[in-house]
Amino acid sequence: MNTPRTRTGKIRALQESAALFSFLQANGIQSMQQLHEKIADMNSRYYDLRAKIVTAERRIAILTERGEMWEQYNQYKSIHKQLAKIKPEKREQFEQRHSRELILYDAADRYLKELKDSGEAITPKA
């Protein structure tokens, strides 16, 4: 007697066989050799695409970091300019009040300077 579980298993097996037959037919595969060649080709294309994706992800991470540093530089540039205008006797107090902003500005300034010194074009819009 067929149980519901057995019928479900048979239906699933038939669906898988139909999908496999459809794949073989769509790709003109009529022999095991052709199937092996198709699989090898698909694997090769997969690994080529995967390498391109990894390269693109690395580039995106670099550009994201550069964009964030450029934004940080611009965000705190006015504080840095204010510091240059402060009288010496009030300078220390200003530095204490704005230490976080000044530290972030200096970090971004160093980062962008190193990029520029290494020959990298700093083009935020790009």
Side-chain angles (χ1 to χ4, degrees), residues 37-104:
E37 288 169 3
K38 181 67 178 174
I39 291 170
D41 178 56
M42 289 172 72
N43 278 336
S44 176
R45 285 189 292 146
Y46 167 79
Y47 288 113
D48 288 346
L49 286 173
R50 186 71 196 129
K52 289 176 184 176
I53 290 169
V54 168
T55 301
E57 287 172 341
R58 286 181 186 146
R59 182 71 178 146
I60 289 168
I62 288 168
L63 293 175
T64 299
E65 180 182 38
R66 289 179 182 180
E68 289 169 353
M69 284 301 198
W70 181 255
E71 187 179 312
Q72 183 173 305
Y73 174 84
N74 283 319
Q75 183 178 0
Y76 301 116
K77 184 169 43 175
S78 63
I79 300 287
H80 182 73
K81 284 183 178 181
Q82 287 176 25
L83 177 64
K85 296 176 185 176
I86 300 282
K87 293 179 183 177
E89 60 271 7
K90 294 187 178 186
R91 191 175 178 92
E92 186 177 336
Q93 184 182 12
F94 184 88
E95 286 176 337
Q96 287 175 355
R97 238 187 358 235
H98 298 284
S99 64
R100 179 183 173 277
E101 294 97 333
L102 292 169
I103 288 168
L104 291 171

Side-chain angles (χ1 to χ4, degrees), residues 12-13 17 26 40 46-47 84 86 99 111 120 123 125:
R12 188 173 296 129
S17 294
Y46 167 79
Y47 288 113
I86 300 282
S99 64
Y111 177 89
E120 287 279 339
T123 52
K125 288 182 183 179

